Amino acid sequence: MPIKVENLSKIFGKKTKEATRLLDEGYSKEEVLEKTGCTVGVNRATFEVEEGEIFVIMGLSGSGKSTLVRLLNRLIEPTEGSVEIDGQNLATMNKENLREIRRTKMSMVFQKFALFPFRTVLDNAEFGLEVQGIEKEERTQKAKEALDLVGLGGYANQYPSQLSGGMQQRVGLARALTNDPEVLLMDEAFSALDPLIRKDMQDELLDLQETMKKTIVFITHDLDEALRIGDRIALMKDGSIVQVGTPEEILINPANDYVEKFVEDVDRSKVLTADKIMKRPETVDYDKHGPRVALERMREQGLSSIFVTDRSRNLKGYVTAEDARKAREEGVSQLSSIMKDDMPTVDLDTSIQDIFNVIHDAPVPVVVTEDGKLRGVIVRGAVIAALADGNEVNGDGA
Amino acid sequence: MVLDNIPYIPVADGVDWFVDKITDWFSFVFDPIKDGFGWLLDNSADYLAMVPPIFIIILVAILAFFLSGKKFGLAAFTIVGLIFVQNQGLWEELMFTFTLVFYASLISVLVGIPVGILMSKSKLAESIITPVLDFMQTMPAFVYLIPAVAFFGIGMVPGVFASFIFATPPVVRFTNLGIRQVSKELVEASDAFGATGNQKLFKVELPMAKRTIMAGVNQTVMLSLSMVVIASMIGAPGLGREVLSALQRADAGPGFVAGFGIVILAIIIDRFTQNLNKEK
Ligand SMILES: Nc1ncnc2c1ncn2[C@@H]1O[C@H](COP(=O)(O)OP(=O)(O)OP(=O)(O)O)[C@@H](O)[C@H]1O
Ligand SMILES: [Mg+2]
């Protein structure tokens, strides 16, 4: 468990004791400010970040994200609580140990890049090793590796001001990676970039993470970004963490009105996947059943078509009510002769956006399969409902 | 009147007493300074005056050429200006004035920058030093001449001392300002990577503050120059003394010429320190 945070608080101001007491009595951040003049930065945050995950901390402006991330490397002194990194409590350790941890275990990437303008790209990347007193040769080599990793190998001798914003932040990332830290702290690292570059950087971070497997604490105020890159997301409000969960948990079960509101305007089509909106399919058995049974089932359920599977639920195809009626009149008893197989098929994790595109002119509901086995069906209405509003999308499938 | 009932407070006597006592108590400090530093100043100025002017003029012109980014303007001005001073028979005076300004501003900078750093690191230091600097700068410069004479007699040394007090505040203030202006994120970055206080100062803060500090140095040097002229009143040799004696004789011509020499020196020094700052 690389990072374990317990009851971590930061109160800005003089009367921190009184402010803490008021918070415990249930007063809000605003009331505490009014009564004591203290600003609640972070209020009793408790969470754990697991090894190798991207843990996103999200919240509106002023909710305490920057304060929280700076408490993790003690750029800000905590008022209360503990931050454990590999079992060592950062909040109480002495200056030397803290410096050692900052040098070897955690690095930070900043919103406005915070590059040293009078140093070249290479010298910027070397900074972390330089303060550790590492030999020039070794640190140059490591810094170059990190620059190559972020695709800036050719810019080593440029100055930051000669690079675009996206490139500057790559330098920021390279500087953080040169130390080969366990933990990367990223405070709104991509917020200053324009949207397209920002997407690129997100993708690149995910690519890098595939091989690096760092523990990343990523701050953002942008839910889309959180959903894209987060393995888990913590939502902050007024200094408190109001919910921690996977992107889907947050979207589908908002812990309270605040989270729901936050989540409301996210483009659900990007995050909801087939398995979230599919329904239990009506089927007939290829070997056991004939047109008669199929027709009966369809009438019971008010369907115009039904899917056909074998005994182990491998999808074979579908029959329509019309074909089944004809077959019955003609006395055909096998489904195989009237079965069609031009149904659109998607996977469990296909996004709603993509489903929407195929469902448009499909003759039957979209089927969701896993290794060829039928798992569920999606009707047009469910997709539209999910695109419009996610609250009622939970099907009874899966 | 009520106010008349307040007995006269003998501040002036107090200061007199204080200066006397300081002179007595610290004569073991002042005397060696007076002798040693006086010797250094005299010799520096003498040696400088012995160098043929043409060498100095060429040297300064070459420096001017490169410092100003290989442009001819400053170099040309330097040549014309210095030849004018030589032509007016003021070369030796110029060398004396330059020596005084050089040492006075060197001491100001050597003391001022560390004090500025201290101020930037400590709120307490800042709140104590700021009013002292205000006092040093607003007190009429002539006033410093009096204790300067008491401590160091007459000549160049008290001139340097008075100039030090008068000219140090800008470099202190600008150093403090420059370091405090370093963006919070850069300071955080150096902390986050585990830099020590000294590493932060030398690898981040001072390089970032360099331009601001150099602007302070420029002001300090210019103030030293203006003080060096005043210091001629306590016997410091140089162009200032020429101005002073012309004033005493109500002789406009020589006064103007010597004054012009000071202006030339001022412009050269100013452009030099400014161009040092522009260098990347
Ligand atoms: N140095 C400080 N002194 C006093 N109050 C502070 C300080 N730093 C932050 N705060 C307060 O703490 C609260 C949390 O601030 P913080 O910067 O952590 O928010 P944030 O979530 O990062 O916001 P943003 O998205 O705008 O960056 C705010 O109310 C802020 O005013
Ligand atoms: Mg912030």
Side-chain angles (χ1 to χ4, degrees):
Chain A
M1 186 72 48
I3 309 179
K4 188 168 168 195
V5 172
E6 240 168 301
N7 271 326
L8 192 59
S9 292
K10 175 66 194 184
I11 316 261
F12 295 102
K14 295 219 171 88
K15 303 185 196 160
T16 57
K17 282 253 160 57
E18 200 186 329
T20 314
R21 190 175 56 76
L22 290 176
L23 280 174
D24 288 344
E25 287 170 14
Y27 285 91
S28 73
K29 174 172 167 166
E30 268 164 39
E31 289 165 329
V32 171
L33 178 62
E34 204 168 289
K35 283 189 194 312
T36 64
C38 293
T39 306
V40 180
V42 171
N43 180 18
R44 302 261 147 119
T46 300
F47 59 88
E48 292 178 0
V49 182
E50 275 154 37
E51 192 154 346
E53 76 171 336
I54 301 186
F55 187 83
V56 172
I57 298 172
M58 181 178 63
L60 297 172
S61 183
S63 56
K65 307 177 298 284
S66 295
T67 308
L68 180 55
V69 78
R70 279 164 177 73
L71 288 171
L72 297 185
N73 62 357
R74 228 174 100 185
L75 283 178
I76 295 179
E77 288 291 329
T79 309
E80 266 183 33
S82 68
V83 180
E84 277 185 21
I85 309 262
D86 290 342
Q88 294 171 278
N89 186 357
L90 228 81
T92 52
M93 68 175 46
N94 65 26
K95 279 225 164 83
E96 282 71 33
N97 291 346
L98 176 63
R99 199 148 57 217
E100 201 47 38
I101 295 244
R102 286 172 174 175
R103 287 177 170 186
T104 56
K105 297 219 164 138
M106 44 198 343
S107 296
M108 195 159 175
V109 182
F110 294 84
Q111 177 168 5
K112 291 182 203 123
F113 322 140
L115 300 176
F116 305 117
F118 51 88
R119 287 171 160 249
T120 61
V121 165
L122 183 66
D123 289 344
N124 265 285
E126 280 180 23
F127 184 80
L129 296 177
E130 189 181 318
V131 296
Q132 292 179 42
I134 305 238
E135 288 299 316
K136 174 81 185 156
E137 208 169 304
E138 184 183 345
R139 62 184 205 236
T140 302
Q141 188 207 331
K142 290 199 169 153
K144 280 197 164 141
E145 283 168 17
L147 286 172
D148 284 338
L149 215 53
V150 300
L152 283 184
Y155 294 86
N157 295 320
Q158 306 259 314
Y159 283 87
S161 60
Q162 293 171 291
L163 307 182
S164 70
M167 289 158 91
Q168 290 190 32
Q169 193 55 303
R170 278 165 218 255
V171 178
L173 192 55
R175 179 176 62 180
L177 292 176
T178 306
N179 287 21
D180 194 25
E182 285 167 37
V183 178
L184 268 184
L185 304 175
M186 306 181 75
D187 185 12
E188 305 224 14
F190 303 151
S191 299
L193 306 173
D194 63 56
L196 281 177
I197 310 278
R198 190 166 175 177
K199 273 243 162 63
D200 286 349
M201 292 294 284
Q202 291 167 356
D203 290 340
E204 196 164 322
L205 184 68
L206 291 175
D207 280 353
L208 283 173
Q209 178 65 353
E210 289 272 302
T211 50
M212 298 187 311
K213 294 273 172 246
K214 302 273 181 215
T215 304
I216 300 179
V217 178
F218 192 101
I219 308 293
T220 182
H221 61 250
D222 177 3
L223 185 57
D224 275 337
E225 183 166 72
L227 295 170
R228 258 173 84 85
I229 66 170
D231 293 317
R232 285 192 305 146
I233 298 173
L235 245 142
M236 287 190 84
K237 182 198 181 192
D238 292 348
S240 305
I241 291 192
V242 288
Q243 186 173 11
V244 180
T246 64
E248 277 162 16
E249 281 167 359
I250 299 245
L251 278 183
I252 292 175
N253 289 315
N256 58 25
D257 287 356
Y258 172 75
V259 180
E260 198 169 314
K261 230 180 160 156
F262 206 109
V263 161
E264 227 161 45
D265 44 73
V266 73
D267 189 352
R268 278 166 195 283
S269 59
K270 280 186 217 144
V271 274
L272 282 182
T273 47
D275 56 338
K276 294 296 179 306
I277 58 165
M278 67 190 186
K279 281 187 147 77
R280 195 167 55 80
E282 289 300 327
T283 59
V284 285
D285 193 320
Y286 182 81
D287 301 312
K288 280 198 301 208
H289 301 139
R292 218 172 274 272
V293 176
L295 206 56
E296 188 56 31
R297 290 248 168 108
M298 283 186 262
R299 213 187 42 228
E300 260 170 37
Q301 303 292 332
L303 302 169
S304 57
S305 62
I306 194 162
F307 290 98
V308 184
T309 62
D310 67 15
R311 200 158 307 162
S312 38
R313 289 190 78 76
N314 284 309
L315 180 64
K316 295 297 219 181
Y318 69 91
V319 296
T320 63
E322 205 177 325
D323 288 349
R325 198 166 13 248
K326 268 192 215 147
R328 192 181 58 179
E329 279 161 18
E330 290 163 17
V332 178
S333 64
Q334 290 295 311
L335 284 173
S336 57
S337 60
I338 56 167
M339 198 174 71
K340 292 176 179 164
D341 60 4
D342 61 343
M343 63 276 163
T345 313
V346 298
D347 294 322
L348 285 172
D349 58 359
T350 304
S351 72
I352 294 193
Q353 190 78 60
D354 295 339
I355 300 169
F356 188 73
N357 292 336
V358 297
I359 210 166
H360 206 59
D361 34 34
V364 287
V366 173
V367 268
V368 185
T369 57
E370 187 178 31
D371 300 326
K373 288 194 195 329
L374 178 62
R375 296 297 307 274
V377 299
I378 300 169
V379 296
R380 202 168 301 169
V383 179
I384 291 166
L387 285 172
D389 175 1
N391 291 338
E392 247 61 74
V393 298
N394 256 343
D396 48 352
Chain B
M1 274 298 286
V2 190
L3 287 182
D4 292 332
N5 292 335
I6 300 175
Y8 169 73
I9 307 166
V11 175
D13 295 336
V15 174
D16 273 347
W17 177 85
F18 184 72
V19 170
D20 281 351
K21 285 300 167 202
I22 296 267
T23 314
D24 281 356
W25 291 337
F26 289 100
S27 62
F28 72 97
V29 181
F30 293 146
D31 289 347
I33 292 180
K34 183 169 70 184
D35 297 342
F37 194 50
W39 179 85
L40 176 70
L41 284 169
D42 284 338
N43 275 292
S44 304
D46 286 346
Y47 278 118
L48 207 54
M50 269 157 51
V51 179
I54 187 74
F55 285 157
I56 293 183
I57 293 175
I58 291 172
L59 186 74
V60 175
I62 291 174
L63 273 177
F65 177 69
F66 284 108
L67 268 181
S68 59
K70 306 202 175 166
K71 292 200 190 91
F72 288 101
L74 182 57
F77 175 83
T78 308
I79 293 171
V80 173
L82 292 181
I83 288 178
F84 171 78
V85 174
Q86 148 75 10
N87 174 265
Q88 297 299 305
L90 290 174
W91 186 259
E92 200 170 317
E93 282 72 15
L94 181 73
M95 292 301 107
F96 270 91
T97 301
F98 174 75
T99 307
L100 267 174
V101 171
F102 177 79
Y103 282 104
S105 21
L106 186 70
I107 295 172
S108 288
V109 168
L110 288 182
V111 174
I113 290 180
V115 172
I117 292 171
L118 176 72
M119 260 174 102
S120 73
K121 294 287 167 192
S122 147
K123 271 222 165 81
L124 179 69
E126 190 183 36
S127 62
I128 294 173
I129 296 172
T130 304
V132 175
L133 296 180
D134 291 340
F135 181 89
M136 284 161 75
Q137 268 185 312
T138 45
M139 180 67 83
F142 298 96
V143 176
Y144 298 128
L145 298 179
I146 309 164
V149 171
F151 297 158
F152 300 108
I154 60 166
M156 293 222 258
V157 178
V160 170
F161 172 82
S163 162
F164 166 74
I165 294 183
F166 185 63
T168 304
V171 70
V172 177
R173 283 190 210 277
F174 277 72
T175 302
N176 176 38
L177 180 72
I179 291 179
R180 285 184 184 268
Q181 267 178 347
V182 176
S183 87
K184 192 168 154 264
E185 262 200 336
L186 286 187
V187 174
E188 279 187 334
S190 82
D191 283 337
F193 282 97
T196 61
N198 277 340
Q199 287 175 327
K200 183 165 62 178
L201 180 66
F202 287 105
K203 289 180 192 293
V204 178
E205 289 172 325
L206 287 180
M208 287 304 292
K210 193 182 129 205
R211 275 166 174 275
T212 312
I213 295 174
M214 281 308 290
V217 169
N218 175 271
Q219 287 207 12
T220 287
V221 175
M222 298 317 282
L223 282 184
S224 305
L225 181 60
S226 73
M227 191 61 197
V228 155
V229 176
I230 297 170
S232 63
M233 296 171 78
I234 49 170
L239 293 169
R241 185 188 281 171
E242 300 307 308
V243 176
L244 188 70
S245 67
L247 177 69
Q248 281 156 352
R249 283 180 279 117
D251 215 350
F256 183 80
V257 170
F260 206 57
I262 290 171
V263 172
I264 290 166
L265 181 62
I267 291 174
I268 293 175
I269 290 180
D270 181 56
R271 296 301 182 277
F272 266 57
T273 50
Q274 275 185 21
N275 280 317
L276 273 179
N277 200 9
K278 272 190 212 130
E279 245 194 340
K280 73 158 197 148

